[in-house]
């Protein structure tokens, strides 16, 4: 499929979400290996574990593993291809006359989609390397510090974009609260959270205390920013929506809380494991169950509210199955992927962890039925939207930059 070219002023940084969604889809596929393939003594399933499981006697592994690996490979390709396309088109957009006005408007926060996507590239790349590159895990204590440097660089640019936007808004007062009738501003919080969860990987996986501590500190810093600014932007967004009504085209942002919660949940889980492995802390399974139950409940609340509003305003009929194009529709992908990922943690570290469900029991696989259904449904929506928004079509105009948010 050929992608559109030379969008210029018709480009939107929200199109980076196409690459972000593909990276998230790759992570969601990996969850089957993470929780169903034995990997004793390691925090994640790697190439050796996958090969050992496939060469074993269980037929289920011989069926599941090729499907999962193929899925990871496909989504990795889609992630990289759409990332390169976005970088090229964004550079052309930045050179256009429309860019300066874009940055000064509420829409300027959309630039946070760039560090968000690159942070996903690093997270997803680590997974792809672990399952496809033999022996890579043996270099983990060298790779994790390198990853900290990488996330530090991405975090620097995320903070730079965010601080410039906030300083301009607070000093010059250019922020239009009337047009903030959505949760679009939470994209910045999503981006900071993705950097934080990247730091938390080193906190949990490294056995070197210095590396683990640096990862823990970095994750704590970015998660603190997420909590502070997330609260502010959540209140401002709902305040504007209750005053002016929701902006129909940006209603998918009501679901942005779902991926943020998943990232915070994974990050906190990793940080507690880091404290347990390297600093003598003790974590009870009941505590993890309570935390995961609380987080998945918050996701369910926002999921139901967002769906009800999108159905009420006819969003799906217009921007998903209908003819209208909106780069913001790609924001529908991340919540589905995030819900699938956190559900995996809830089932395995929550329900199985406290003994409510036995692993690989009938009840265990029954719980996975709605999870897999949501995963497949999300994949279908993602492929549809990527084709709709990025596919070259000379008879249809380029998608416009999303309206002021």
């Amino acid at each position: 499929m050929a992608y559109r070219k030379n969008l210029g002023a018709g480009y939107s940084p929200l199109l980076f979400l196409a690459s972000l969604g593909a990276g998230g889809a790759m992570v969601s596929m990996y969850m089957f290996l993470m929780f169903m393939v034995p990997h004793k003594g390691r925090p994640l399933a790697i190439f050796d574990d996958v090969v050992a499981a496939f060469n074993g006697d269980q037929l289920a592994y011989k069926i599941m593993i090729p499907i999962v690996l193929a899925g990871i490979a496909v989504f990795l390709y889609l992630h990289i291809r759409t990332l390169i396309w976005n970088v090229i088109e964004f550079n052309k957009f930045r050179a256009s006359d429309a860019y300066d006005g874009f940055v000064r408007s509420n829409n300027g926060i959309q630039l946070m989609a760039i560090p968000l996507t690159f942070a996903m590239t690093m997270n997803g790349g680590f997974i792809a390397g672990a399952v496809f590159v033999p022996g890579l895990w043996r270099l983990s204590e060298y790779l994790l510090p390198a990853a900290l440097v990488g996330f530090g660089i991405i975090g620097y640019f995320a903070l730079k974009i965010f601080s410039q936007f906030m300083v301009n808004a607070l000093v010059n007062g250019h922020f239009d609260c009337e047009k903030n009738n959505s949760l679009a501003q939470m994209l910045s919080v999503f981006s900071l959270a993705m950097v934080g969860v990247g730091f938390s990987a080193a906190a949990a996986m490294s056995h070197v205390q210095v590396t683990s501590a640096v990862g823990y500190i970095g994750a704590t810093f970015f998660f603190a920013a997420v909590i502070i600014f997330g609260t502010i932007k959540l209140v401002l967004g709902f305040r504007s929506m209750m005053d002016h009504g929701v902006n129909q085209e940006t209603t998918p942002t009501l679901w942005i809380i779902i991926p943020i919660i998943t990232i915070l949940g994974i990050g906190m889980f990793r940080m507690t494991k880091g404290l347990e492995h390297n600093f003598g802390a003790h974590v009870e399974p009941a505590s993890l169950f309570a935390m995961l139950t609380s987080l998945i409940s918050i996701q369910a609340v926002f999921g139901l509210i967002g769906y009800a509003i999108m159905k009420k305003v006819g969003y799906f009929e217009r921007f998903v199955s209908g003819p209208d194009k909106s780069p913001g529709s790609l924001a529908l992908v991340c919540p589905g992927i995030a819900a699938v990922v956190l559900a995996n943690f809830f089932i395995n570290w929550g329900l199985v962890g406290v003994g409510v469900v036995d692993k690989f029991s009938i009840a265990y696989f029954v719980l996975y039925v709605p999870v897999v259904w949501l995963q497949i449904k999300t994949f279908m929506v993602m492929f549809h939207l990527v084709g709709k928004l990025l596919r070259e079509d000379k008879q249809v105009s380029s998608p416009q930059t999303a309206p002021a948010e």
Side-chain angles (χ1 to χ4, degrees):
M1 177 177 68
Y3 288 169
R4 298 170 183 266
K5 296 180 181 179
N6 302 315
L7 299 186
Y11 175 81
S12 167
L14 289 179
L15 292 172
F16 269 95
L17 297 181
S19 182
L20 177 72
M26 177 174 57
V27 174
S28 75
M29 291 297 294
Y30 176 75
M31 290 295 101
F32 294 103
L33 303 180
M34 174 73 178
F35 290 112
M36 296 184 184
V37 170
H39 48 92
K40 188 175 181 180
R42 282 185 286 266
L44 72 168
I46 64 172
F47 177 86
D48 295 343
D49 303 312
V50 174
V51 171
F54 182 79
N55 291 333
D57 298 328
Q58 297 188 32
L59 178 62
Y61 282 134
K62 296 183 184 296
I63 297 174
M64 179 193 76
I65 289 175
I67 295 174
V68 171
L69 292 180
I72 293 174
V74 168
F75 290 123
L76 176 62
Y77 167 76
L78 182 62
H79 171 73
I80 294 173
R81 184 185 179 191
T82 51
L83 178 62
I84 294 172
W85 178 87
N86 269 287
V87 170
I88 294 172
E89 291 299 323
F90 172 73
N91 285 330
K92 295 176 182 178
F93 171 55
R94 189 167 56 179
S96 70
D97 295 335
Y99 183 75
D100 186 61
F102 168 83
V103 173
R104 294 179 182 275
S105 71
N106 287 18
N107 283 340
I109 203 65
Q110 293 176 14
L111 294 178
M112 292 294 286
I114 300 173
L116 169 64
T117 304
F118 276 98
M120 172 59 79
T121 300
M122 287 198 62
N123 284 311
F126 195 86
I127 288 175
V131 297
F132 288 127
V133 181
L136 186 64
W137 181 252
R138 289 191 286 272
L139 302 175
S140 61
E141 294 298 355
Y142 299 97
L143 294 174
L144 290 171
L148 289 177
V149 174
F151 281 112
I153 294 171
I154 295 172
Y156 165 77
F157 284 104
L159 290 172
K160 183 178 180 180
I161 295 170
F162 181 68
S163 62
Q164 288 176 343
F165 179 86
M166 291 297 294
V167 168
N168 288 334
L170 294 173
V171 173
N172 301 320
H174 75 267
F175 189 77
D176 192 336
C177 290
E178 183 177 345
K179 294 182 179 180
N180 187 42
N181 51 340
S182 70
L183 296 184
Q185 293 295 314
M186 292 290 286
L187 178 65
S188 59
V189 178
F190 188 8
S191 184
L192 296 175
M194 188 66 78
V195 176
V197 81
F199 274 100
S200 72
M205 297 180 189
S206 178
H207 293 286
V208 177
Q209 283 192 333
V210 172
T211 303
S212 181
V214 171
Y216 190 95
I217 293 168
T220 301
F221 172 81
F222 280 98
F223 287 160
V226 167
I227 294 171
I228 294 169
F229 291 106
T231 302
I232 294 171
K233 291 177 179 293
L234 188 66
V235 172
L236 288 176
F238 271 98
R239 177 71 174 82
S240 182
M241 284 187 283
M242 289 182 174
D243 260 356
H244 308 289
V246 68
N247 182 333
Q248 182 190 23
E249 190 172 350
T250 58
T251 48
T253 62
L254 293 168
W255 277 354
I256 200 171
I257 295 295
I258 296 174
I260 292 173
I261 289 295
T262 290
I263 292 172
L264 287 175
I266 294 174
M268 289 187 291
F269 175 84
R270 287 174 170 178
M271 292 165 75
T272 57
K273 287 299 181 180
L275 292 176
E276 185 176 49
H277 295 156
N278 296 311
F279 301 103
H282 180 66
V283 182
E284 294 289 344
S287 298
L288 294 176
F289 171 73
M291 179 187 76
L292 292 167
T293 301
S294 299
L295 295 177
I296 209 165
S297 297
I298 295 172
Q299 287 185 328
V301 169
F302 276 91
L304 291 171
I305 292 174
Y307 181 78
I309 292 174
M310 281 185 273
K311 286 293 291 183
K312 180 69 174 180
V313 302
Y315 183 86
F316 300 108
E317 293 80 3
R318 180 180 173 187
F319 294 105
V320 180
S321 58
D324 289 353
K325 294 183 178 183
S326 171
S329 62
L330 290 166
L332 294 171
V333 176
C334 291
I337 296 297
V340 168
V341 171
L342 191 62
N344 274 271
F345 277 81
F346 175 69
I347 292 171
N348 291 278
W349 283 104
L351 297 176
V352 174
V354 296
V356 174
V357 175
D358 292 328
K359 194 161 188 174
F360 300 142
S361 64
I362 294 176
Y364 179 85
F365 289 110
V366 168
L367 288 170
Y368 262 97
V369 171
V371 177
V372 174
W373 176 85
L374 176 60
Q375 188 177 31
I376 294 172
K377 182 70 174 179
T378 304
F379 292 168
M380 293 171 62
V381 171
M382 180 180 67
F383 282 120
H384 171 70
L385 291 176
V386 169
K388 182 178 182 180
L389 293 168
L390 272 63
R391 182 176 59 241
E392 185 176 16
D393 186 351
K394 296 181 180 180
Q395 296 182 351
V396 181
S397 61
S398 300
Q400 297 299 307
T401 300
E405 297 164 351

